[in-house]
Amino acid sequence: MKTLHHHHFIFIFMSIFSIPSTADHFSQALLRLKSEFTSPSDVLTDWIIPPQTPSPTIHACSWTGVQCNQNSTKITGLNLSFKNLHGVLSGNQFVQLFDLIDLNISHNSFSGELPIGIFNLTSLKVLDISRNNFSGAFPIGISNLQKLEVLDAFSNSFTGSLPPDVCENASVKVLNFAGSYFSGPIPGVYGLFRSLEFLHLAGNLLTGNLPIEFGQLKRVTHMEIGYNSYQGGIPWQFGNMSELQYLDIAGANLSGLIPKELSNLTKLDTLFLSKNYLSGPIPDEFGNILSLSSLDLSDNMLSGAIPESFSSLKDLKLLSLMYNEMNGSVPDGIAKLPNLESLLIWDNFFSGTLPQELGKHSNKLKWVDVSTNDFVGVIPPDICSGGELSRLMLFSNYFSGGLSAISNCSSLIRIRLVDNLFSGDISLDFKILIDVSYVDLSVNRLSGGIPSDILHASKLEHFSVSNNPNLGGILTEKTWSLSVLRNFSASSCNISGKFPEFSFCKSLSVIELYGNHLSGRIPESISLCENLEMLNLAENNLSGEIPVKFGSLMKLKFLNFSYNDLSGSIPIENTFKWMDSSSFLGNPNLCGAPLARPCHHGNGISEGMELGSRRNHKVAWVLVLCAVVVVLSGFLYGIVYYRRKNVHRHWKMVSFGGLPEVTAADVLNSLSTIEPVETLYSSNPACKAVLLTGMTIVVRKIEWGTKSSNLLLDFITRIGNLRHKNVIRLLGFCYNENLGYLLFEYLPNGNLDEKIGIKRDWASKHKLVINIAKGLCFLHHDCHPAIPHGNLKASNTVFDENMEPRLAEFGFKTISAMETGEYKGLMEHDLKDDIFHFGEVVLEILTNGKRKKGGTSVHKTPKDVLLKEIYDDNEVAASSKSVQEEIKLVLEVVFRCTTSKQSDRPSMEDVLKILLRLDPEKK
């Protein structure tokens, strides 16, 4: 009885002093809201009600994130943004917060469906739920919020259709549904907003035609609706959006012509239509949009010339037309645009000379990239006169003359003039170019040697002058003195003199000097270059022994001393164990492994040729037989030569970058040294070969019929032009009428299937999954049309020198279909199959290889059982809630990717969004 009385007393005490009065039900509602989510221990610590007598004011008015009216009798605002809050909201408490005008729960990790209780907040003017993980369909009921002016739902995981009833909110000015998984067409009723000023629907899964009703949005100033997959083109009615200042429909699968009616948007400042399939010419009428500041029409199929009318766009800062099929010359008026900052027109068919006044009238010109066109003539003399030019890219054209126009351009950071016809001295004044970090002058006709004042370029990281046959000059020790220099390439430049010593070279990773006339010994001091990864000194006049200290260069992966006059034995230390014979060919006095010439311990000459020995008699017989063979070979040569010459004459060689200069004959001769590669790529026969330059490559043989040759060559060219850090590179293609060899980069660090059992922490696994996803996303979404991988699995994921994953073997399913004439074009199911196999690879990574090809069976295992298995495999403690949550979300990606219904599988773009959302540092 005494105990009961004691408990009764405690209850009465708590009732009086701990529980707030019913008059403060607002604070109670917020506490119940707080109870529904988890938060860090140092967040919302002041959300408590002190034991005190009832007050006419609301306790919560003094809490973090709570705003009240002047006398603290109404809660008018709740801002819980950036609080690292998690949980699923019921929404039951919102009915008591009816005075809320501003609700902001953005930049958290709320999940589950958006609670419909929010729609009871009928006083709301601002609702910001952006950057969370709300999922499911966006609930009907938003039209209840008739005072709503701002609805920001950016970057969530909503699915299904866009809510049609939001257009019934007459006061809405800002509407942001970007960055989720909304699908289907944009509702036509979205053109009925009366007050809308800002519309953002980009980065979803929207399809269908763009609504012509948008032409009725007379107040919208900003519209972003790109990065979706619409059908058809841009409605001409968009030209009626008279207040529009910013329009972005990039990456949206649009086709057809650009409607000239867009020129009616006389207030337009920014127009982004890049990464589509738009064709035809740019409308001349665009010259009427005098307010235009940024115009990006890159990566389309546009043709024709740059309109002369663009000379009227005096406010233009950015003109980006790269990756199109445009031609003609650049109008002289472009050079007279006073505010031009970036001229990006590379990879087209432009010709003629650049406007010779380029830079003279544009004092803010910072970036000029006209590479991969057919330009001729000289660099405009005033291109640097504004003092702002930092990037000058002119490579792969027919420019000629000297470099005096940029010799004193102190603002330059990157200079790429490779593959032109420039001549004369390298007249760059490196005492003035103090910020330059990248200089590539390769494949030109320059002369006069490497400037001695290059040592003043203290920020120079990359310097290449290779393939300037008349450059000449010598190298000095000061050449290596640049503190941040990483890449020095001066091959085939007719450089002579002694090979200089090294005093400081800790940053150097690449030295290419093959095909010169360097003499003397290789200095031991090169061992100071501790970060050296590639050294190519082939085809010089170097002599003496190879320094033993080379063995200390632990990062060295490529070495070529071939065709010099080196002697003695090849060191056996560390680095040399990985080099094959091709690195040392053409040095007759060199011996030892890996050459098939053993060394005598005394003088380095192979033993066994003593006079009078039995072995000598055997050698004599061998020499006689060899003489007979030579005679017969000479006889047969006349018969074979003509046939071989004709065969080689029909072979062609295409280089996609990354290969040394080799001919088809060089490649065919190198194929005599091929050896199978069994562990690099699993599914198709591949061989490793060594080019005459010493470079190791992977070779794949393909054959085709004459009917499919053009289609196949186009596809291979597309693969060769791909550049992504998580996709293996096709370096070249050697072929004749119906046979070809694909030349891929060789990565010696094995594949994921071999290394799946290696112990990795969760951060490493997460990074691995993201990088594989990035590679596949690139093939699916950054290639137009998309390139299906066709055989994604762990054994076709290889590792580069940094153990970063690269997708290999992609596109061969397409190539096989083209070889046999069975290619039917890109099929959606091919991409969906890739996504299924991606899910399987991720499952393998999560389970350390225990669940191979588990895309189907994984759905038969209860999720809680599977999660426990994965937590155990990854040694994740029960206290590591954040890691467990991340693993749970990655597993959810696996389930979505491997669902049996193909149409329900997400795109790789969507998958990558989810994975990146787990780790902000990866964005």
Side-chain angles (χ1 to χ4, degrees):
M1 192 68 161
K2 182 178 179 181
T3 303
L4 180 62
H5 177 77
H6 177 69
H7 286 172
H8 183 63
F9 174 78
I10 291 176
F11 175 77
I12 294 173
F13 181 88
M14 291 179 65
S15 300
I16 296 174
F17 294 104
S18 298
I19 305 298
S21 68
T22 55
D24 194 5
H25 53 265
F26 303 110
S27 300
Q28 292 184 50
L30 288 178
L31 287 179
R32 287 194 296 272
L33 177 64
K34 180 184 176 183
S35 70
E36 291 186 348
F37 49 76
T38 58
S39 61
S41 58
D42 59 343
V43 172
L44 305 183
T45 54
D46 60 345
W47 278 38
I48 55 175
I49 300 177
Q52 61 183 29
T53 56
S55 169
T57 60
I58 300 172
H59 291 293
C61 289
S62 62
W63 294 353
T64 298
V66 179
Q67 297 93 39
C68 294
N69 63 350
Q70 193 169 7
N71 56 9
S72 297
T73 57
K74 294 181 179 181
I75 296 178
T76 57
L78 181 59
N79 186 348
L80 300 179
S81 61
F82 294 97
K83 294 293 189 292
N84 195 21
L85 305 177
H86 299 68
V88 177
L89 304 181
S90 69
N92 296 333
Q93 305 80 12
F94 291 126
V95 69
Q96 294 183 349
L97 301 174
F98 46 81
D99 291 317
L100 269 183
I101 297 174
D102 189 334
L103 175 59
N104 185 348
I105 57 174
S106 66
H107 292 83
N108 285 295
S109 298
F110 292 118
S111 56
E113 296 186 351
L114 184 70
I116 60 174
I118 284 183
F119 301 151
N120 292 320
L121 303 174
T122 55
S123 297
L124 268 188
K125 290 185 177 181
V126 176
L127 174 58
D128 189 348
I129 58 171
S130 62
R131 296 190 182 276
N132 280 285
N133 196 30
F134 289 114
S135 58
F138 194 91
I140 299 296
I142 191 72
S143 58
N144 292 341
L145 308 182
Q146 284 299 306
K147 296 180 180 179
L148 194 66
E149 296 179 0
V150 175
L151 173 55
D152 191 348
F154 175 76
S155 190
N156 277 279
S157 298
F158 292 114
T159 55
S161 303
L162 290 168
D165 61 331
V166 68
C167 66
E168 298 174 22
N169 298 64
S171 301
V172 169
K173 296 179 180 179
V174 174
L175 180 62
N176 192 339
F177 281 132
S180 270
Y181 306 104
F182 288 111
S183 57
I186 300 174
V189 292
Y190 275 30
L192 302 180
F193 284 105
R194 287 178 282 176
S195 304
L196 194 65
E197 298 174 2
F198 179 102
L199 178 61
H200 195 356
L201 306 176
N204 281 289
L205 307 176
L206 300 174
T207 55
N209 293 311
L210 293 176
I212 61 174
E213 291 87 351
F214 275 7
Q216 302 173 41
L217 297 173
K218 302 296 185 181
R219 295 188 178 183
V220 171
T221 61
H222 185 114
M223 185 164 79
E224 294 182 64
I225 55 176
Y227 297 98
N228 285 290
S229 297
Y230 306 117
Q231 284 78 52
I234 303 171
W236 65 264
Q237 289 87 350
F238 280 23
N240 294 331
M241 302 175 69
S242 54
E243 294 296 315
L244 204 57
Q245 298 173 19
Y246 187 105
L247 176 59
D248 185 347
I249 327 180
N253 198 43
L254 299 173
S255 58
L257 304 177
I258 299 176
K260 63 181 181 181
E261 287 80 6
L262 293 186
S263 63
N264 296 331
L265 304 176
T266 56
K267 296 182 180 180
L268 198 63
D269 171 87
T270 300
L271 178 59
F272 292 155
L273 300 177
S274 60
K275 296 184 179 180
N276 283 294
Y277 300 95
L278 299 170
S279 57
I282 300 173
D284 288 335
E285 291 83 357
F286 271 26
N288 298 329
I289 314 176
L290 301 180
S291 57
L292 201 58
S293 172
S294 297
L295 177 61
D296 188 351
L297 306 178
S298 63
D299 204 356
N300 277 286
M301 301 166 64
L302 300 174
S303 57
I306 300 175
E308 291 282 347
S309 61
F310 277 19
S311 302
S312 302
L313 301 177
K314 303 302 182 184
D315 290 337
L316 196 64
K317 296 179 181 178
L318 166 68
L319 177 59
S320 179
L321 304 175
M322 59 189 184
Y323 279 130
N324 276 291
E325 299 171 9
M326 300 181 68
N327 54 33
S329 59
V330 178
D332 288 337
I334 296 296
K336 297 178 181 178
L337 300 178
N339 293 296
L340 189 64
E341 296 179 3
S342 300
L343 177 63
L344 311 177
I345 58 174
W346 61 294
D347 208 350
N348 278 284
F349 299 97
F350 293 120
S351 57
T353 61
L354 284 180
Q356 289 303 289
E357 293 190 0
L358 186 62
K360 183 176 182 179
H361 308 282
S362 308
N363 294 328
K364 299 177 182 178
L365 190 63
K366 298 176 181 177
W367 190 348
V368 174
D369 193 338
V370 301
S371 306
T372 321
N373 281 289
D374 296 316
F375 287 114
V376 297
V378 300
I379 300 175
D382 298 309
I383 197 165
C384 285
S385 62
E388 297 284 336
L389 189 68
S390 61
R391 289 170 171 80
L392 180 62
M393 317 293 189
L394 308 180
F395 62 85
S396 297
N397 280 285
Y398 300 97
F399 289 110
S400 58
L403 308 181
S404 59
I406 58 172
S407 61
N408 299 321
C409 195
S410 61
S411 56
L412 276 173
I413 296 174
R414 292 178 69 86
I415 306 171
R416 296 189 66 188
L417 310 183
V418 61
D419 191 17
N420 277 286
L421 304 173
F422 290 113
S423 59
D425 293 350
I426 300 177
S427 54
L428 301 179
D429 190 339
F430 288 104
K431 295 177 182 176
I432 295 177
L433 274 65
I434 56 174
D435 290 322
V436 70
S437 66
Y438 190 106
V439 176
D440 193 344
L441 308 175
S442 304
V443 196
N444 279 288
R445 300 176 179 179
L446 298 168
S447 58
I450 296 172
S452 58
D453 66 350
I454 192 173
L455 60 93
H456 295 290
S458 60
K459 297 181 181 179
L460 187 61
E461 297 179 11
H462 180 108
F463 182 76
S464 178
V465 289
S466 292
N467 294 290
N468 282 278
N470 300 316
L471 185 64
I474 62 172
L475 299 178
T476 67
E477 188 175 337
K478 292 181 179 179
T479 305
W480 321 120
S481 65
L482 294 168
S483 60
V484 295
L485 185 65
R486 293 177 52 82
N487 186 312
F488 184 89
S489 300
S491 298
S492 301
C493 286
N494 201 28
I495 296 173
S496 58
K498 301 283 187 180
F499 193 92
E501 292 282 343
F502 291 80
S503 56
F504 182 88
C505 57
K506 288 188 176 181
S507 297
L508 266 174
S509 60
V510 174
I511 300 176
E512 291 183 299
L513 289 167
Y514 65 84
N516 284 295
H517 302 288
L518 294 170
S519 59
R521 293 176 172 270
I522 301 172
E524 284 194 359
S525 56
I526 200 171
S527 61
L528 297 173
C529 308
E530 57 191 39
N531 288 303
L532 197 62
E533 298 177 9
M534 177 179 179
L535 177 64
N536 193 341
L537 302 178
E539 300 178 42
N540 279 283
N541 301 318
L542 299 171
S543 58
E545 296 186 353
I546 299 173
V548 175
K549 287 188 177 181
F550 254 110
S552 65
L553 297 176
M554 303 305 295
K555 294 185 179 180
L556 193 65
K557 298 179 178 65
F558 178 86
L559 175 68
N560 194 347
F561 289 151
S562 62
Y563 301 100
N564 279 282
D565 194 22
L566 299 173
S567 58
S569 59
I570 299 172
I572 59 175
E573 283 78 16
N574 297 327
T575 299
F576 294 94
K577 293 178 181 178
W578 308 106
M579 305 301 168
D580 54 33
S581 60
S582 63
S583 297
F584 308 99
L585 294 174
N587 291 278
N589 296 315
L590 203 59
C591 61
L595 292 174
R597 286 199 296 270
C599 294
H600 187 275
H601 293 297
N603 56 17
I605 306 299
S606 57
E607 60 182 21
M609 293 296 289
E610 303 91 336
L611 287 172
S613 69
R614 291 184 180 181
R615 183 171 182 178
N616 217 23
H617 290 295
K618 291 180 181 178
V619 171
W621 278 107
V622 170
L623 291 175
V624 171
L625 288 173
C626 286
V628 173
V629 170
V630 168
V631 172
L632 289 174
S633 298
F635 175 75
L636 293 173
Y637 183 80
I639 299 173
V640 174
Y641 175 74
Y642 177 77
R643 292 176 60 193
R644 178 173 291 180
K645 184 177 179 182
N646 278 309
V647 169
H648 280 204
R649 188 171 61 188
H650 293 293
W651 283 84
K652 298 179 181 179
M653 178 66 203
V654 178
S655 176
F656 299 114
L659 274 179
E661 284 197 15
V662 292
T663 64
D666 294 333
V667 172
L668 295 174
N669 290 334
S670 300
L671 296 184
S672 62
T673 64
I674 61 175
E675 55 182 276
V677 179
E678 296 177 355
T679 58
L680 184 56
Y681 311 137
S682 65
S683 57
N684 294 296
C687 293
K688 185 173 72 172
V690 181
L691 298 176
L692 297 179
T693 62
M695 184 178 188
T696 304
I697 58 173
V698 171
V699 182
R700 284 286 313 275
K701 177 183 175 182
I702 61 172
E703 299 182 59
W704 63 88
T706 54
K707 291 183 179 179
S708 59
S709 60
N710 290 336
L711 185 64
L712 185 60
L713 292 178
D714 287 345
F715 183 70
I716 290 171
T717 299
R718 287 187 62 213
I719 292 179
N721 288 326
L722 299 183
R723 296 290 183 273
H724 191 277
K725 69 175 184 177
N726 299 118
V727 170
I728 201 164
R729 285 184 62 183
L730 175 62
L731 303 176
F733 183 42
C734 182
Y735 66 100
N736 62 17
E737 291 181 355
N738 54 12
L739 173 66
Y741 295 100
L742 296 162
L743 314 178
F744 290 92
E745 62 180 329
Y746 173 60
L747 301 179
N749 284 333
N751 62 55
L752 178 59
D753 188 50
E754 297 171 338
K755 303 181 184 300
I756 195 72
I758 292 177
K759 188 173 181 179
R760 296 180 175 90
D761 59 22
W762 171 243
S764 299
K765 285 190 175 184
H766 186 205
K767 180 182 177 183
L768 177 61
V769 169
I770 285 177
N771 284 332
I772 295 172
K774 283 181 177 179
L776 191 57
C777 186
F778 170 76
L779 294 176
H780 284 198
H781 298 284
D782 290 331
C783 299
H784 302 294
I787 297 178
H789 187 291
N791 195 17
L792 181 63
K793 51 186 175 183
S795 54
N796 285 337
T797 303
V798 297
F799 291 101
D800 66 12
E801 63 276 6
N802 299 315
M803 294 307 293
E804 295 289 339
R806 303 262 202 101
L807 301 187
E809 289 294 285
F810 61 89
F812 277 98
K813 184 177 180 181
T814 302
I815 289 175
S816 297
M818 290 178 175
E819 285 177 316
T820 58
E822 298 175 357
Y823 182 63
K824 301 290 191 301
L826 177 64
M827 300 293 182
E828 180 67 19
H829 69 78
D830 291 330
L831 303 182
K832 295 298 186 181
D833 286 347
D834 279 356
I835 293 162
F836 179 88
H837 294 305
F838 172 78
E840 289 190 320
V841 171
V842 175
L843 184 62
E844 280 192 57
I845 294 171
L846 288 176
T847 61
N848 298 328
K850 293 179 182 177
R851 289 181 176 262
K852 293 180 180 290
K853 296 183 179 180
T856 301
S857 61
V858 70
H859 294 273
K860 300 175 183 178
T861 306
K863 284 188 181 180
D864 56 339
V865 174
L866 189 57
L867 276 170
K868 185 180 185 306
E869 174 189 325
I870 294 172
Y871 293 155
D872 292 342
D873 288 339
N874 291 275
E875 299 179 1
V876 177
S879 58
S880 302
K881 296 297 184 184
S882 60
V883 173
Q884 287 189 355
E885 190 65 25
E886 288 184 1
I887 290 177
K888 190 183 300 184
L889 287 171
V890 173
L891 182 61
E892 187 60 35
V893 168
V894 172
F895 276 101
R896 292 183 62 181
C897 289
T898 56
T899 185
S900 58
K901 190 176 179 182
Q902 286 192 343
S903 60
D904 289 343
R905 295 172 194 164
S907 70
M908 280 311 301
E909 206 166 42
D910 304 330
V911 168
L912 189 56
K913 276 186 195 174
I914 296 172
L915 295 174
L916 290 176
R917 201 173 288 151
L918 297 180
D919 189 350
E921 294 183 1
K922 299 294 190 300
K923 291 185 180 178

